[in-house]
């Protein structure tokens, strides 16, 4: 489930919005959970594919760079038993220069952060209920690149080491909309 807070009719995004999809969750589907929560799907649609099906476009080269990153990181994962889900890869770190380049070319950044749980994969606080340092940095750098005045709620969230993704989900949705300059989370 994705929960979005929609202020000042920020959503739906206009079909002409140029997107920068950030976070490997935009390019890789987590279908179901682990153990009895696992799903044998006939097909799975990524977040990117769903947005493309709706007529949106992604930043040039971003899908390829994430696809390459995912393949490289998955190759590093240890082998697991057939009945166990592979661990998730760490989130990709993007530097300020790359994010600034994207902000100059795109209208909106959408950040996805994914988690998996179920049988044999118990949840833990650090880096699971809470964001990892890389995820914190991705959110902060994205907000700074796409607008220089970070919304007070997001700034507070990023400062609070104990914040959980559930706060992010409740306040901004697991897909965080970072609007262009002059628009701050739906507020003009």
């Amino acid at each position: 489930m994705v929960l979005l807070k929609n202020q000042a009719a920020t959503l739906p995004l206009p079909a002409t919005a140029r997107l920068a999809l950030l976070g490997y969750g935009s390019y890789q589907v987590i279908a179901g959970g682990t153990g009895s929560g696992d799903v044998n799907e006939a097909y799975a649609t990524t977040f990117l594919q769903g947005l493309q099906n709706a007529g949106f476009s992604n930043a040039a080269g971003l899908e390829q760079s994430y696809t390459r990153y995912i393949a490289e990181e998955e190759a590093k994962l240890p082998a697991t038993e057939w009945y166990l889900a592979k661990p998730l890869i760490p989130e990709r770190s993007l530097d300020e220069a790359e994010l600034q380049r994207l902000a100059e070319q795109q209208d909106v950044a959408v950040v996805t952060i994914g988690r998996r749980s179920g049988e044999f994969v118990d949840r833990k606080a650090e880096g699971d209920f809470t964001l990892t340092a890389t995820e914190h940095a991705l959110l902060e750098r994205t907000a700074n690149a796409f607008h220089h005045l970070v919304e007070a709620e997001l700034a507070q969230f990023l400062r609070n080491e104990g914040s959980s993704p559930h706060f992010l989900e409740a306040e901004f949705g697991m897909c965080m909309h970072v609007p262009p300059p002059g628009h701050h989370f739906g507020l003009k």
Side-chain angles (χ1 to χ4, degrees):
M1 174 184 0
V2 176
L3 177 65
L4 296 170
K5 186 174 185 179
N6 190 20
Q7 295 179 334
T10 301
L11 299 171
L13 294 173
T16 56
R18 297 169 302 165
L19 305 180
L21 297 181
L22 306 172
Y24 75 85
S26 295
Y27 305 93
Q28 186 176 57
V29 176
I30 300 174
T34 60
S36 62
D38 193 13
V39 176
N40 291 320
E41 67 278 351
Y43 66 92
T45 301
T46 65
F47 190 56
L48 169 65
Q49 291 165 336
L51 287 170
Q52 287 174 332
N53 292 346
F56 290 95
S57 63
N58 192 23
L62 206 49
E63 178 182 11
Q64 293 79 6
S65 67
Y66 267 100
T67 301
R68 189 172 42 256
Y69 172 78
I70 292 167
E72 290 169 358
E73 290 299 312
E74 284 184 338
K76 298 175 188 176
L77 295 175
T80 58
E81 296 294 332
W82 65 270
Y83 56 88
L84 294 175
K86 282 196 248 181
L88 295 178
I89 62 174
E91 187 54 69
R92 179 178 171 210
S93 176
L94 286 102
D95 63 29
E96 291 172 6
E98 183 174 5
L99 287 166
Q100 190 59 47
R101 180 187 58 78
L102 287 168
E104 290 168 4
Q105 299 170 354
Q106 305 306 114
D107 300 317
V108 177
V110 179
V111 179
T112 59
I113 296 172
R115 298 287 191 266
R116 176 188 297 130
S117 70
E119 291 180 87
F120 312 112
V121 183
D122 292 336
R123 303 294 305 263
K124 58 188 185 314
E126 190 172 331
D128 188 13
F129 282 112
T130 60
L131 297 175
T132 67
T134 302
E135 292 164 344
H136 270 272
L138 177 61
L139 290 173
E140 187 170 30
R141 289 177 185 155
T142 301
N144 287 333
F146 277 79
H147 61 78
H148 299 291
L149 299 173
V150 178
E151 178 73 7
E153 288 178 281
L154 179 59
Q156 177 62 36
F157 168 73
L158 293 171
R159 284 192 298 270
N160 185 352
E161 289 300 315
S163 294
S164 74
H166 299 293
F167 173 82
L168 180 65
E169 184 173 355
E171 289 297 311
F172 306 107
M174 289 307 281
C175 303
M176 184 183 81
H177 172 242
V178 179
H183 296 76
H184 306 288
F185 294 97
L187 301 174
K188 290 184 179 182

